[in-house]
Amino acid sequence: MSGKSVVVTGGFGALGRATVRAFLEAGWRVAAVDLGEAPEGTPDGVLAIGGVDLADLDSARAAMDKAAGAHGGLHALVNVAGGFRWQTLEDGDLSGWSALHRMNVTTAATASKAALPALKASGAGAIVNVAAAAARRAAAGMGAYAASKAGVLRLTESLAEELKDQGVRVNAVLPTIIDTPANRADMPGADFGRWVQPADLAATLLFLASDASRAITGAELLVAGRV
Ligand SMILES: NC(=O)c1ccc[n+]([C@@H]2O[C@H](COP(=O)([O-])OP(=O)(O)OC[C@H]3O[C@@H](n4cnc5c(N)ncnc54)[C@H](OP(=O)(O)O)[C@@H]3O)[C@@H](O)[C@H]2O)c1
């Protein structure tokens, strides 16, 4: 059992809930930070911190301080918070580009900045960012989303270099399609068994947050399932 402490942003969402479970089962002390209120069925033992806009530095700092205070420090930050919008350039509203940038890049950068003092104090901290396979190659209608997730990769790369000698590792995963209720509703004809299972992706996030991956920083790991 690890006995370490983690903050999972977006911890009330589909992947976030699976991630919270994976860390709990591995013996971590877990705080879930999210925009909305904690959903029914949040597991016992999770410190649920709702109503937090992670694009706002003061709000993010208050949440990280609360988690680190309650759990005796902070060893890992898993940036799951984010979102998706499909829109073509021709028909879509240009505000979608800044909205997705805020939702995906600003939240990850702000949460990371807010968590940094506690992560450095732990002596061996880790940040794991959830980007997307689309960051490498965008399909039609995915420009704004892919650009924002490419921003998450550049953040990962730059922060890994910045923190290389300061005891904090920074890595990212690039999922294709996760098997979530929202995706099943949007793509009812798809073969869900080929998609990435949330528990499998959560296990990868756990690995990248754990000492088992201590030699890895600045990595961008494609998690494709069989898509
Ligand atoms: N689903 C996929 O197929 C897929 C594929 C590749 C990558 N990803 C990425 O994986 C992550 C999780 O996806 P998911 O399907 O689990 O999404 P989800 O269920 O919508 O969970 C994302 C969570 O992030 C929260 N959030 C958004 N903006 C926030 C902010 N400013 N401050 C605090 N929390 C905020 C959302 O809150 P609200 O619901 O209240 O807005 C939601 O609870 C996302 O980063 C997504 O882009 C997903």
Side-chain angles (χ1 to χ4, degrees):
M1 288 305 212
S2 118
K4 289 184 169 182
S5 150
V6 63
V7 166
V8 179
T9 75
F12 302 165
L15 174 60
R17 288 197 301 273
T19 304
V20 163
R21 273 195 301 277
F23 277 84
L24 275 180
E25 284 166 10
W28 289 61
R29 295 187 292 277
V30 181
V33 178
D34 211 312
L35 197 54
E37 294 309 318
E40 296 271 320
T42 300
D44 289 342
V46 175
L47 175 61
I49 308 176
V52 180
D53 179 1
L54 285 162
D56 178 79
L57 185 58
D58 289 342
S59 307
R61 279 192 170 133
M64 299 304 159
D65 289 351
K66 189 171 178 180
H71 289 161
L74 185 63
H75 301 88
L77 169 69
V78 183
N79 282 317
V80 176
F84 176 76
R85 190 184 295 178
W86 190 93
Q87 58 170 47
T88 60
L89 185 69
E90 186 173 20
D91 298 327
D93 192 325
L94 281 176
S95 66
W97 287 72
S98 48
L100 282 166
H101 184 90
R102 185 181 196 280
M103 212 181 295
N104 289 315
V105 189
T106 311
T107 53
T110 308
S112 300
K113 186 174 175 68
L116 216 44
L119 291 173
K120 285 172 71 172
S122 77
I127 296 173
V128 189
N129 294 322
V130 178
R136 288 192 178 157
R137 183 160 184 85
M142 303 271 278
Y145 174 71
S148 71
K149 289 300 193 181
V152 173
L153 293 185
R154 298 293 76 78
L155 168 70
T156 303
E157 197 172 87
S158 165
L159 199 53
E161 288 300 315
E162 182 179 328
L163 299 175
K164 203 171 248 179
D165 296 318
Q166 299 184 56
V168 182
R169 299 180 298 107
V170 190
N171 293 292
V173 296
L174 292 77
T176 50
I177 305 176
I178 306 171
D179 186 6
T180 65
N183 280 337
R184 286 189 180 213
D186 286 347
M187 295 172 266
D191 179 353
F192 308 143
R194 302 188 76 83
W195 292 351
V196 178
Q197 295 306 306
D200 293 342
L201 183 49
T204 307
L205 297 172
L206 175 63
F207 166 69
L208 289 173
S210 305
D211 280 347
S213 64
R214 61 188 164 272
I216 303 176
T217 193
E220 300 173 354
L221 185 59
L222 181 69
V223 183
R226 290 184 296 129
V227 175

